[in-house]
Amino acid sequence: GQVLFSFRSTPEDGGDIFMSKLDGNSWSKPERMGSNINTKFWEGSCSLSSDGRTLYFASERPGGFGGRDIYFSRKDKDGTWGPAHNLGANINSPLNDDAPFIHPDGVTLFFSSEGWNSMGGYDIFYSNLNLEDSSWNRPVNMGYPINSPADDRYYVLSADGTRGYFSSDRKGGYGQQDLYIVTPGYRGSRPVLALTIGVVTLDEKPAKA
């Protein structure tokens, strides 16, 4: 809740990812993320892991599997973002793959793809991370009624898995891309997450931690 990502494009640039931080009640001026994230090509939607150390993002940079691919970068000890790595052929198809969202459980990745077994346009898929070898399972289509012959993208699952939110330009909306909610928000095994909430204190006073 203290980091905000935004997208900005100019005539000279395909589009870059910017980041702002919350300090008290004020947001810092958006700053373009480093050259390991942004290139002269399009970089757009992104998702940060719950520990704040891994950023998943979409890019049109060359060297991928085709169109837009999903990459990840890990934060180095000095706070900078390391080299971007392609998530590989188990996630990226020869067509466009976009809109990654890593669930707070750290192992469930949602994304949208025009490839794999899409029903038409972009469909929403999910994949699970194998902790033994850091590989991703073959994507699973979320199926109807979440997916449609239209473009279904930007899926976000609530931490407890009960609600999913996404964007779609399917028929019956108010115009162009509309926002939808689905309950329950998962297919298959429900993500398991333990969340501890509290206040860190120092000498019986709230501490910045």
Side-chain angles (χ1 to χ4, degrees):
Q2 295 179 311
V3 178
L4 175 68
F5 295 99
S6 55
F7 169 81
R8 184 183 300 172
S9 63
T10 67
E12 296 79 25
D13 195 303
D16 285 339
I17 300 171
F18 288 70
M19 183 176 68
S20 303
K21 293 183 178 180
L22 182 64
D23 185 6
N25 294 320
S26 301
W27 288 97
S28 65
K29 182 179 179 180
E31 294 185 2
R32 180 183 280 106
M33 301 190 72
S35 58
N36 283 333
I37 304 296
N38 291 314
T39 67
K40 65 179 181 179
F41 301 94
W42 181 94
E43 277 80 33
S45 48
C46 67
S47 178
L48 185 66
S49 62
S50 58
D51 64 3
R53 302 202 60 83
T54 305
L55 183 74
Y56 297 85
F57 65 98
S59 174
E60 292 181 353
R61 68 188 65 191
F65 289 85
R68 294 180 181 179
D69 274 18
I70 299 174
Y71 293 79
F72 75 93
S73 172
R74 300 195 191 279
K75 184 179 287 186
D76 294 331
K77 293 182 179 180
D78 61 1
T80 60
W81 291 100
H85 302 279
N86 192 294
L87 257 63
N90 274 6
I91 297 294
N92 293 306
S93 71
L95 301 179
N96 287 319
D97 303 282
D98 192 8
F101 170 73
I102 184 70
H103 189 265
D105 68 1
V107 297
T108 307
L109 178 72
F110 295 90
F111 66 100
S112 295
S113 177
E114 292 180 325
W116 300 107
N117 55 333
S118 170
M119 296 169 61
Y122 280 98
D123 271 11
I124 298 166
F125 296 80
Y126 75 90
S127 176
N128 295 114
L129 178 66
N130 297 305
L131 297 178
E132 294 80 7
D133 58 5
S134 297
S135 65
W136 291 94
N137 292 330
R138 186 176 178 86
V140 177
N141 192 307
M142 291 287 285
Y144 180 83
I146 294 176
N147 287 320
S148 70
D151 285 331
D152 307 295
R153 305 168 72 182
Y154 303 110
Y155 193 81
V156 173
L157 180 66
S158 62
D160 60 6
T162 59
R163 300 175 310 282
Y165 304 88
F166 64 100
S167 172
S168 178
D169 61 354
R170 65 187 62 192
K171 293 181 179 180
Y174 290 94
Q176 297 189 6
Q177 296 285 139
D178 280 18
L179 299 179
Y180 292 82
I181 182 173
V182 60
T183 55
Y186 60 92
R187 177 181 175 184
S189 300
R190 178 176 175 177
V192 177
L193 182 69
L195 180 65
T196 302
I197 300 175
V199 177
V200 179
T201 60
L202 179 64
D203 295 331
E204 299 182 353
K205 297 181 180 180
K208 188 176 182 179

